Amino acid sequence: MPLPDPVTLLDELEPVLGERGSEPVALAGGITNRNYRVVMGGEDYVLRICGKDTAVLGIDRDAECQATVAAARIGVGPEVVAYRPDLEVLVTRWVEGRPATPEELRRSPALEQVAAALRAVHGGPALDARFDAFALVEDYRDEILARAGSAPSGFEEAAAGAARIAVALTGPDHEPVPCHNDLLPANFLHAGDRIRIVDWEYAGMGDRFFDLGNLAVNNGFAATDEERLVAAYFGEPPAPRRLAALRLMRIMSDFREAMWGAVQDVVSELDFDYAAYRDEHFERLLAAVRAPDFDRSLADAAAA
């Protein structure tokens, strides 16, 4: 079934948002949902139409709304103006700004601004949803099998590496906190003198180091960039165990992305090469698991 027509949905939303002032304009970049910029009642908004079968991706739309509201209250995310779960629609206020680039996110002052934003998010109110990358990759595998697919090549080797990572990451630093869990460059906006974070659909209570590792791997952080990120986030020189935790979670981020691509390849109706996305992330994560640095990171992360 195709995604709903945005104009039809806007007609439903007119009693809340006001009369439609323009035709909806599709926003580029979405590979799960469809997003549109719309003018309603003289105000600018973003209309998100949820993609097909997104619950199988671990997305909880109520939690997405809850996390977006929480992020807006601390000045990190866009304001929620309407949420219609019956229509599978979320409307947020348009944030004037431009997408960040990976190069910018690796440099000052953006790196420090992002570290401060994530620290604020992680210190915010608890969310009703849970995000566990270790369980999620297995859920994705099970969903693929249930749809008569087969586990991707490399899954078992990656899963063995993930099991070793899970054992190493223990202690107070890894207590669950509210996390974004999808820190792609397109989800950061330069808005005046600060960075805003959008797209909270994978938000849930998880390990802060997944956010830090996800940020690092998605934006091409080098070792020195990782050190600056951990120092800015914790406000002190980076301890080897924390750097190791970030680097191990880079692997888990790629594992999640690889399996996300694999399950999307069997459920999504959007025009996107999910198989290539899957293969790219499997290649990178397996190279990391096979590298000599992997055992060193496990030992450093587990050190008291």
Side-chain angles (χ1 to χ4, degrees):
M1 180 182 298
L3 296 181
D5 173 53
V7 173
T8 301
L9 293 175
L10 292 176
D11 289 342
E12 289 272 356
L13 293 167
E14 276 196 356
V16 175
L17 301 178
E19 185 177 353
R20 179 159 48 92
S22 67
E23 293 301 308
V25 177
L27 298 175
I31 55 176
T32 301
N33 313 291
R34 285 287 185 237
N35 300 294
Y36 298 86
R37 184 175 182 177
V38 300
V39 176
M40 302 286 286
E43 300 286 341
D44 253 356
Y45 300 111
V46 174
L47 170 74
R48 177 197 286 283
I49 303 174
C50 303
K52 177 178 178 286
D53 290 341
T54 55
V56 307
L57 302 174
I59 295 173
D60 181 325
R61 294 300 178 184
D62 291 341
E64 175 187 9
C65 181
Q66 180 190 22
T68 310
V69 169
R73 286 175 178 164
I74 61 174
V76 173
E79 177 190 355
V80 174
V81 293
Y83 173 50
R84 288 285 302 272
D86 57 319
L87 300 176
E88 296 193 283
V89 165
L90 178 72
V91 181
T92 56
R93 193 170 299 280
W94 174 263
V95 175
E96 200 60 53
R98 62 173 179 82
T101 67
E103 293 76 17
E104 289 171 325
L105 294 172
R106 297 194 297 263
R107 297 196 304 260
S108 296
L111 183 147
E112 290 77 16
Q113 291 172 343
V114 170
L118 290 178
R119 190 168 59 247
V121 170
H122 296 163
L127 301 174
D128 294 334
R130 173 174 171 263
F131 181 91
D132 180 346
F134 299 94
L136 188 58
V137 292
E138 295 184 357
D139 291 343
Y140 285 170
R141 187 262 327 265
D142 293 345
E143 186 65 35
I144 293 167
L145 296 178
R147 293 171 181 262
S150 56
S153 174
F155 177 84
E156 294 302 329
E157 183 181 358
R164 298 180 69 194
I165 294 171
V167 170
L169 300 183
T170 60
D173 273 358
H174 302 286
E175 289 296 316
V177 296
C179 291
H180 182 280
N181 302 309
D182 194 25
L183 296 171
L184 299 165
N187 289 338
F188 293 97
L189 296 178
H190 283 287
D193 60 352
R194 59 178 165 158
I195 294 282
R196 295 280 196 96
I197 306 176
V198 299
D199 195 354
W200 293 83
E201 66 184 345
Y202 291 98
M205 300 298 290
D207 189 325
R208 72 187 74 229
F209 281 93
F210 187 89
D211 263 356
L212 297 175
N214 182 251
L215 169 68
V217 74
N218 284 328
N219 295 283
F221 278 38
T224 54
D225 303 321
E226 294 170 344
E227 291 168 7
R228 290 171 49 235
L229 173 62
V230 172
Y233 180 89
F234 288 101
E236 60 187 34
R241 62 183 171 81
R242 286 173 168 166
L243 286 172
L246 180 152
R247 288 162 185 164
L248 293 172
M249 280 302 200
R250 286 181 67 132
I251 296 172
M252 288 308 303
S253 173
D254 270 336
F255 197 4
R256 190 278 297 265
E257 294 295 334
M259 291 305 294
W260 179 93
V263 77
Q264 282 280 55
D265 196 40
V266 300
V267 304
S268 180
E269 295 177 348
L270 298 183
D271 183 16
F272 184 80
D273 191 348
Y274 293 107
Y277 189 91
R278 171 201 66 204
D279 294 344
E280 173 190 350
H281 287 280
F282 261 117
E283 181 180 351
R284 189 164 65 188
L285 84 89
L286 291 175
V289 167
R290 295 165 183 166
D293 287 348
F294 181 57
D295 286 338
R296 186 179 313 120
S297 292
L298 288 170
D300 285 347

